Amino acid sequence: MACLSLSQLQKFKEDGFLVLEGFLSADECVAMQQRIGEIVAKMDVPLHCLTEFSTDEEEQLRAQCISDYFLNSGDKIRFFFEKGVFDKKGNFLVPPEKSINKIGHALHAHDPVFKSVTHSPKVQALVKSLGLQMPVVVQSMYIFKQPHIGGEVLPHQDASFLYTEPLGQLLGLWIALEDATLENGCLWFIPGSHTSGVSRRFIRAPSGSMPGTRFLGSEPARDNNLFVPTPVRRGALVLIHGEVVHKSEQNLSDSSRHVYTFHLMEASGTVWSPDNWLQPTAELPFPPLYT
């Protein structure tokens, strides 16, 4: 089983992240990639969210649609696109499967393939070995990092977006379904940056206001030399502490960098912030990881 050794636990505690190569087999990775292909082939996105409008009023409607589509995605499987992939009428300028940035945020709940990976015995054993008592799954994403257009992800802390009280109760599991390299946009971390709290928060604005979300505080300037690149092979799992600072560069290569990632919260003694953009719903309370 995928239990962590004492030295691995110590490294995670010190660095705020830990690479576990070979966590999944190539076949397990391929099964997720094939399943996502089927989901993309059937995707249905409201046209208002795709169209570039001409009048200010129409543009506001588009912004509201995109905002609502995102804000209400916590308990659904929804599609988010790279910039510049649509023409003014909402037609794709590149093949649809090459235009998607990510799919979120409830694959873990609604799709049997992703649900079985999320709750797999080896994931459960890994999380138990970290000492989590009552982990619940708060969100999941499939990230494509498309060749040439996969955008950079600026330095951030996951707890800015998924805030808990107390802090230190959020854990990301990031699984490489393809090799993640320096060329195609692997993760970069600042080791040990998970111990001084959160510098900004991304919150849901009061209902009906636009934009639907906003930032409180700001991301401090960070010394680029502190970031350590973390290239990994297909099948690797990276554990990510909720407050460790990380980023990824734009994908300038010819190959995609598919990832399945999900976040857990230790529910025991923890309050999920009512200001978070993502909230559990009556249809989908956060499901317990342990089955």
Side-chain angles (χ1 to χ4, degrees):
M1 293 305 271
C3 290
L4 295 181
S5 67
L6 284 173
S7 62
Q8 286 175 314
L9 285 166
Q10 186 60 29
K11 187 154 178 56
F12 179 63
K13 195 175 166 187
E14 285 171 11
D15 292 346
F17 69 97
L18 182 70
V19 174
L20 302 171
E21 287 283 1
F23 187 81
L24 292 189
S25 68
D27 287 350
E28 289 171 306
C29 294
V30 168
M32 281 192 272
Q33 290 183 280
Q34 285 177 337
R35 179 63 191 136
I36 219 73
E38 292 162 13
I39 290 171
V40 169
K42 296 196 189 94
M43 89 177 148
D44 181 27
V45 180
L47 188 62
H48 312 322
C49 286
L50 308 184
T51 316
E52 297 261 341
F53 292 112
S54 48
T55 69
D56 285 351
E57 197 175 330
E58 287 177 324
E59 183 52 48
Q60 276 181 316
L61 279 173
R62 173 174 179 263
Q64 184 69 57
C65 173
I66 291 170
S67 176
D68 290 348
Y69 184 76
F70 167 71
L71 282 173
N72 299 317
S73 66
D75 60 353
K76 299 178 186 70
I77 295 175
R78 289 192 161 175
F79 304 87
F80 303 92
F81 297 91
E82 292 292 353
K83 289 189 177 79
V85 296
F86 301 112
D87 67 13
K88 294 255 185 275
K89 296 197 173 80
N91 299 309
F92 285 99
L93 295 169
V94 291
E97 67 278 5
K98 297 273 185 239
S99 67
I100 302 180
N101 169 298
K102 68 180 180 187
I103 297 176
H105 288 91
L107 284 161
H108 64 278
H110 296 313
D111 185 80
V113 172
F114 290 94
K115 188 175 190 173
S116 72
V117 171
T118 306
H119 295 274
S120 65
K122 57 186 163 185
V123 166
Q124 293 192 44
L126 171 64
V127 173
K128 277 191 178 129
S129 75
L130 280 162
L132 277 75
Q133 305 288 312
M134 285 174 53
V136 294
V137 189
V138 298
Q139 70 158 14
S140 55
M141 294 183 287
Y142 191 103
I143 303 170
F144 291 79
K145 201 77 158 175
Q146 302 282 4
H148 305 295
I149 61 168
E152 72 172 326
V153 176
L154 294 169
H156 68 282
Q157 298 166 290
D158 292 344
S160 291
F161 301 87
L162 308 169
Y163 191 82
T164 63
E165 289 177 8
L167 281 169
Q169 306 291 74
L170 184 75
L171 177 69
L173 289 85
W174 189 98
I175 302 170
L177 305 180
E178 299 179 308
D179 292 353
T181 66
L182 288 170
E183 294 71 39
N184 73 3
C186 69
L187 293 172
W188 296 64
F189 290 94
I190 300 181
S193 57
H194 59 302
T195 57
S196 43
V198 168
S199 52
R200 65 173 178 161
R201 289 188 53 195
F202 180 73
I203 63 166
R204 187 181 277 249
S207 182
S209 60
M210 277 297 292
T213 55
R214 62 192 174 96
F215 281 105
L216 291 178
S218 59
E219 207 60 47
R222 306 198 191 270
D223 179 353
N224 242 349
N225 297 319
L226 297 174
F227 284 94
V228 175
T230 312
V232 295
R233 303 299 300 267
R234 163 187 247 175
L237 182 145
V238 185
L239 284 173
I240 304 177
H241 186 286
E243 288 129 74
V244 74
V245 178
H246 58 292
K247 65 173 185 173
S248 65
E249 302 292 347
Q250 190 180 354
N251 182 0
L252 299 172
S253 79
D254 295 331
S255 54
S256 55
R257 192 221 66 187
H258 287 200
V259 163
Y260 175 58
T261 181
F262 57 95
H263 283 90
L264 304 176
M265 172 181 73
E266 169 61 88
S268 177
T270 310
V271 177
W272 179 254
S273 173
D275 297 328
N276 285 337
W277 78 266
L278 184 146
Q279 293 295 326
T281 61
E283 296 74 35
L284 184 62
F286 293 150
L289 177 73
Y290 301 149
T291 49

